[in-house]
Amino acid sequence: MADKPLLPELMKAHGISRRGFLKYCATLTSMMALPPILAPKVAMALEGASRPSVIWLSFQECTGCTEAITRSYAPTIEDLIFNAISLDYHHTLQAASGEAAEAAREAAMEENWGNYLVIVDGSIPLANPGFSTIAGISNLEMLKQTAEGAAAIVAVGSCAAFGGIPHADPNPTGAVSVADIITDKPIINVPGCPPIPVVMTSVLAQFLAFGLDSIEVDDLGRPKAFYSETIHDRCYRRPFYDKGLFAESFDDEGAREGWCLYKLGCKGPTTKSVCATVKWNDGTSFPIQAGHPCLGCTEPDFWDNGGFYKPLSVPAGDYRKLGLAAVAGGAVLGVAGGAIARSVKSSAAAKHEPVTPDDLEKKS
Amino acid sequence: MSASLEKGLNALREQIDAPVASFFTSCVSCGICAEACLFYQETGDPKYTPIHKLEPMRRIWSNEFTLLGRAKSMLGMGRKVTEQDLADWEELVYDSCTMCGRCTLVCPVGNDITMMIRKMREGMSASGNAPEELVAGAKRHWEKGSPMGDLLPALTAHVKNVEKSTGIQVNVDKKGVDYLVILSAQEVAVYNEVIEALARILDKAGVSWTFSSEAFEGTNVGIQIGSKDLAREFVSRTVNAAEKLKVKGVISPECGHAYQALRWEGPNLIGRTYPFEVVHVIELLDRLRADGRLKTKGMDHAKLTFHDPCQINRRGGINHEPRRLLNMVADNFTETEDAGTMNWCCGGGGGVGSNESATELRLQAFQRKKRQFEAVAPEKIVTMCAYCHHILEESLEHYDMDIEVQGLTELMAEYLEDA
């Protein structure tokens, strides 16, 4: 594996010009919110990257994340990123299978103990280890084994980052996220269902070029470069929101005019992602542009945050019963409190003795 | 009978109503009331924070009127209000609060702190923690008709003198006239020039009026000391006299809390509306001005400024009237800073001026007005409250400031157009 060709040779083989490569590096640099002056450094780092070993583990997932990254808009360049790393194990992509595949993983781990990168997509079932196994090894066990010698873990997709759809109520498999299990390794969450491909590769590129410490994350472990602004803040339909112009249904005039989808359940205001700026499929579009409200897939528990078509201001869950109980309870307490206060006051009034100037002094 | 702690606590319980409960509940301890308080501003001592002056009442509310407080009290956790607490609070409730109403105006959650101080004083007086000067004043008022004793002989003498010097007949106990004129003890005893001034102005305007030998005193120690029973008795005297004389209106004098007592608290104290109108004398003069019945000649060229009495302006609503009148007769009228509804108190209102123990604090508090007067440097300060008049004179003298103080009615009479 160490004799893989370096990036410049690969570029030539794939018919990519150096100019194209540098453009890609500049894009990455700006996406990572790095100053443009660092673009050459990104290029140099990628060209001469030390090719760390990467092990990609897929657990309870739909392969959507892998599909997205391999079908991204510049597949050859994104592919190169994979070539800049040494992807030693990825059970969807690798040719080997069965014991040979597991042997490859074990060999990579042994060879690079303490230095390899683990990428995880999919959640881990805890209810029964038999719910998801690979080569007879449960997901939980494989994650623990592999993570032990890892330098860092990248949890790709909402399943790995937050539990995702398997974790959704009633969570039959007891699915949890990587961070719920591994607590002693740095974990970078790249959520999304799936994440935007270029976001995934940018995180890897930044890791390659500047190391783990250069990746600043938010309180949910997401790289700030891609998850610090809401979709709403950058949405091209935002002016309609500000003017109070909303589509009320999917076939009304507002929908045809491209007004704000807030009332149709858009989660853009509470969802942090670069969808509205980077967009998907070679920058072609993103859900809101296609006329569908944002589902909020980069946020934890997006599947259970009320209905996809319920406006954000409508509370999720069985709030009516709870609310009624709270109102009733409050009313009972209020009436009781009021009755007590009134009785204290009226008994005081009953005890009132008219005051004359003679009553103003204490006489002993 | 005697005052006692139990009576005081009972009086406080009686005073805690829905507004008080909601005020205590909604206080967010922001401290903005302190910034509005003359006594906190001039001393910087946080104990003068207005809402803190209500702590004993707040504790009773919390211990006895709230579910959580009652539960705590049952477990012996609520801090009870003791004899000592009330004694300690006397200074805060009586000496360092003129009930000027600034704190109420600035409270961001709309708490009427001034009204709560008034209520708090009910408990203080019933528990025997009212200042001795106010207690003595209440006794004199109860027995002799005025906190300064029996002033009827003095009033009778003034009436005679005015009749002699002006040739105008001054009615006493005359039925069916338009107005019953009430004075304040301070005016009868000290600033009696106002009687002649008023007689001349009302005569010229063709307003019929009378004094009552039974009720010429507008002061109400019951309001100051905080006793609704006393306040009701004192207000009733005026109401009864006015009803007996069948007047259309009662003219409230240049006296802050007399106006407060008769105009705003009175109907609540006696539990019904009046069959007559209450009008402040300056309000009436401004009406006469608007009707063209008050005509003046000449101008006072001296540099004048005006002191707003808290109870008449901020808590009484009479703000533009005195200014319109002043501009009729003064061509060098300059306002002080904060003049109008956010004016600072003279420091003597709400009974503070009569408390011997408050003198030092009151004079310290006066420094705010002192600085404001120094900035304007007037030759004369005009006001429309005899007690402000008295406190201003006393404080100016203390600080060696040679500025004349005059009542507005008197100033207007000076420039009254001759027949």
Side-chain angles (χ1 to χ4, degrees):
Chain A
M1 282 172 203
D3 57 349
K4 274 190 179 172
L6 283 173
L7 209 53
E9 294 158 47
L10 274 167
M11 285 197 303
K12 221 181 223 172
H14 284 81
I16 296 167
S17 67
R18 175 141 185 92
R19 182 182 167 80
F21 174 70
L22 288 177
K23 262 172 79 181
Y24 175 73
C25 290
T27 308
L28 281 185
T29 310
S30 73
M31 283 214 39
M32 290 184 282
L34 298 171
I37 199 164
L38 286 181
K41 189 155 185 238
V42 173
M44 275 166 66
L46 291 180
E47 279 173 338
S50 54
R51 302 168 58 79
S53 175
V54 170
I55 296 171
W56 184 306
L57 303 175
S58 295
F59 298 141
Q60 289 194 128
E61 42 82 50
C62 64
T63 319
C65 296
T66 301
E67 288 288 338
I69 202 165
T70 53
R71 286 158 200 269
S72 53
Y73 68 83
T76 39
I77 290 183
E78 315 262 280
D79 189 42
L80 287 181
I81 295 304
F82 278 108
N83 283 302
I85 60 178
S86 169
L87 188 59
D88 294 319
Y89 177 87
H90 187 305
H91 69 214
T92 308
L93 300 180
Q94 68 198 357
S97 63
E99 282 173 9
E102 294 313 308
R105 180 173 64 88
E106 279 156 21
M109 280 166 59
E110 203 172 313
E111 212 170 303
N112 304 289
W113 189 258
N115 299 312
Y116 58 86
L117 187 68
V118 176
I119 300 178
V120 180
D121 68 333
S123 62
I124 302 98
L126 294 183
N128 182 333
F131 283 159
S132 176
T133 63
I134 297 158
I137 306 168
S138 76
N139 291 170
L140 178 63
E141 197 185 328
M142 186 177 282
L143 176 63
K144 279 184 173 168
Q145 273 180 12
T146 317
E148 205 186 338
I153 301 173
V154 179
V156 159
S158 294
C159 297
F162 306 129
I165 294 169
H167 178 76
D169 187 56
N171 190 3
T173 64
V176 298
S177 70
V178 173
D180 287 329
I181 294 166
I182 307 298
T183 50
D184 57 350
K185 296 283 175 190
I187 298 173
I188 298 162
N189 286 332
V190 186
C193 195
I196 301 173
V198 73
V199 170
M200 293 191 260
T201 54
S202 295
V203 171
L204 296 181
Q206 191 171 353
F207 176 78
L208 289 176
F210 302 107
L212 182 69
D213 294 341
S214 72
I215 303 175
E216 230 188 307
V217 296
D218 69 3
D219 54 344
L220 290 172
R222 304 177 295 191
K224 280 188 180 169
F226 310 106
Y227 297 93
S228 60
E229 276 181 305
T230 65
I231 290 175
H232 187 61
D233 283 343
R234 292 292 183 179
C235 182
Y236 78 103
R237 295 197 189 205
R238 176 62 184 265
F240 295 111
Y241 174 90
D242 292 338
K243 281 185 194 158
L245 297 175
F246 299 101
E248 305 277 346
S249 77
F250 284 105
D251 56 357
D252 70 356
E253 197 211 339
R256 278 189 290 278
E257 294 292 327
W259 291 353
C260 178
L261 300 168
Y262 179 87
K263 288 190 177 175
L264 290 171
C266 184
K267 305 294 182 283
T270 54
T271 305
K272 288 180 172 171
S273 177
V274 287
C275 295
T277 44
V278 173
K279 301 190 183 175
W280 295 72
N281 300 324
D282 206 359
T284 305
S285 184
F286 71 114
I288 294 169
Q289 194 171 346
H292 192 280
C294 167
L295 303 183
C297 73
T298 61
E299 299 295 323
D301 298 326
F302 78 100
W303 204 265
D304 293 324
N305 280 340
F308 287 155
Y309 303 103
K310 259 189 199 168
L312 272 173
S313 49
V314 176
D318 198 0
Y319 60 90
R320 280 178 198 283
K321 270 189 211 157
L322 196 68
L324 279 176
V327 166
V332 167
L333 280 177
V335 168
I340 284 171
R342 259 194 302 280
S343 77
V344 174
K345 186 172 157 58
S346 60
S347 78
K351 276 188 223 157
H352 180 84
E353 296 167 35
V355 177
T356 70
D358 282 340
D359 304 320
L360 296 173
E361 285 165 311
K362 276 175 273 192
K363 289 162 193 165
S364 45
Chain B
M1 285 196 286
S2 159
S4 68
L5 174 65
E6 199 30 62
K7 271 191 183 175
L9 298 182
N10 196 62
L12 288 175
R13 286 180 199 116
E14 267 185 90
Q15 290 298 321
I16 295 172
D17 51 13
V20 171
S22 70
F23 294 162
F24 280 136
T25 311
S26 48
C27 175
V28 293
S29 303
C30 68
I32 289 178
C33 54
E35 302 297 321
C37 180
L38 181 61
F39 293 92
Y40 169 75
Q41 280 290 320
E42 293 308 309
T43 62
D45 190 335
K47 73 177 176 180
Y48 296 126
T49 303
I51 195 76
H52 176 66
K53 296 172 186 172
L54 297 161
E55 181 58 19
M57 183 156 81
R58 195 201 63 77
R59 231 184 277 157
I60 289 181
W61 164 76
S62 165
N63 288 348
E64 301 178 25
F65 285 75
T66 65
L67 282 176
L68 192 66
R70 283 174 72 94
K72 273 187 179 171
S73 299
M74 273 182 224
L75 298 169
M77 280 161 67
R79 243 186 90 197
K80 286 218 166 82
V81 176
T82 63
E83 188 84 52
Q84 190 58 45
D85 288 332
L86 294 183
D88 290 346
W89 251 263
E90 183 184 325
E91 187 215 347
L92 300 181
V93 178
Y94 286 104
D95 287 0
S96 67
C97 178
T98 61
M99 305 216 282
C100 80
R102 279 185 119 247
C103 49
T104 293
L105 228 59
V106 302
C107 177
V109 294
N111 289 352
D112 191 347
I113 301 169
T114 318
M115 180 267 263
M116 290 200 280
I117 292 275
R118 166 71 183 80
K119 284 168 168 282
M120 174 81 189
R121 287 187 181 184
E122 291 278 340
M124 298 297 283
S125 64
S127 63
N129 286 295
E132 52 183 343
E133 294 87 350
L134 285 177
V135 172
K139 282 184 180 163
R140 284 192 296 269
H141 201 165
W142 189 269
E143 286 153 19
K144 297 181 174 164
S146 152
M148 288 186 168
D150 184 6
L151 290 175
L152 186 60
L155 180 69
T156 315
H158 294 320
V159 166
K160 265 186 201 153
N161 288 339
V162 169
E163 284 187 327
K164 204 185 284 174
S165 66
T166 62
I168 298 167
Q169 194 204 325
V170 177
N171 301 317
V172 178
D173 296 330
K174 186 169 183 195
K175 281 190 184 172
V177 293
D178 291 340
Y179 290 103
L180 168 65
V181 170
I182 304 292
L183 296 173
S184 80
Q186 202 74 31
E187 287 176 319
V188 181
V190 188
Y191 305 119
N192 54 67
E193 310 83 23
V194 75
I195 301 173
E196 183 179 328
L198 202 56
R200 289 177 56 218
I201 292 173
L202 295 183
D203 181 65
K204 185 113 323 182
V207 174
S208 64
W209 64 283
T210 183
F211 280 127
S212 162
S213 58
E214 288 163 17
F216 54 86
E217 170 62 280
T219 334
N220 193 321
V221 187
I223 301 271
Q224 293 173 322
I225 203 166
S227 169
K228 57 180 180 174
D229 294 337
L230 300 185
R232 185 190 306 115
E233 163 62 20
F234 300 145
V235 157
S236 298
R237 291 177 186 176
T238 304
V239 174
N240 293 342
E243 286 176 346
K244 205 159 116 186
L245 295 171
K246 298 193 165 41
V247 290
K248 283 185 234 155
V250 175
I251 300 176
S252 181
E254 288 194 12
C255 171
H257 78 271
Y259 186 61
Q260 191 63 223
L262 190 62
R263 179 84 178 253
W264 308 117
E265 272 212 40
N268 290 317
L269 287 167
I270 64 170
R272 61 183 170 90
T273 52
Y274 300 148
F276 53 83
E277 175 204 26
V278 176
V279 60
H280 188 263
V281 57
I282 296 305
E283 218 178 350
L284 178 72
L285 295 193
D286 188 53
R287 276 190 214 168
L288 295 176
R289 175 200 61 79
D291 294 347
R293 291 161 74 187
L294 171 61
K295 291 203 178 86
T296 56
K297 199 175 74 182
M299 282 279 182
D300 196 323
H301 305 303
K303 190 169 190 186
L304 294 185
T305 193
F306 186 70
H307 168 77
D308 289 280
C310 310
Q311 304 301 328
I312 298 173
N313 187 331
R314 181 161 41 252
R315 299 192 75 211
I318 300 174
N319 185 20
H320 299 299
E321 291 86 341
R323 292 174 164 81
R324 285 195 288 259
L325 293 171
L326 267 170
N327 284 324
M328 271 176 93
V329 298
D331 58 9
N332 196 2
F333 166 41
T334 312
E335 297 271 25
T336 59
E337 204 188 332
D338 303 323
T341 49
M342 284 311 276
N343 186 52
W344 292 90
C345 180
C346 64
V352 173
S354 64
N355 302 343
E356 193 62 44
S357 56
T359 307
E360 201 183 320
L361 184 60
R362 166 168 69 78
L363 287 168
Q364 195 182 347
F366 184 75
Q367 295 197 18
R368 168 71 59 155
K369 290 281 350 173
K370 179 174 175 274
R371 287 195 299 274
Q372 294 188 331
F373 288 141
E374 280 167 349
V376 174
E379 289 165 60
K380 184 153 73 181
I381 300 165
V382 180
T383 189
M384 52 177 174
C385 165
Y387 206 69
C388 290
H389 188 161
H390 165 68
I391 293 292
L392 288 174
E393 277 185 347
E394 207 182 280
S395 308
L396 290 169
E397 195 190 323
H398 175 83
Y399 286 109
D400 286 328
M401 294 167 77
D402 188 19
I403 307 173
E404 187 194 344
V405 185
Q406 192 178 29
L408 182 52
T409 309
E410 204 190 322
L411 176 69
M412 295 309 292
E414 262 180 38
Y415 292 92
L416 196 62
E417 191 181 54
D418 292 324

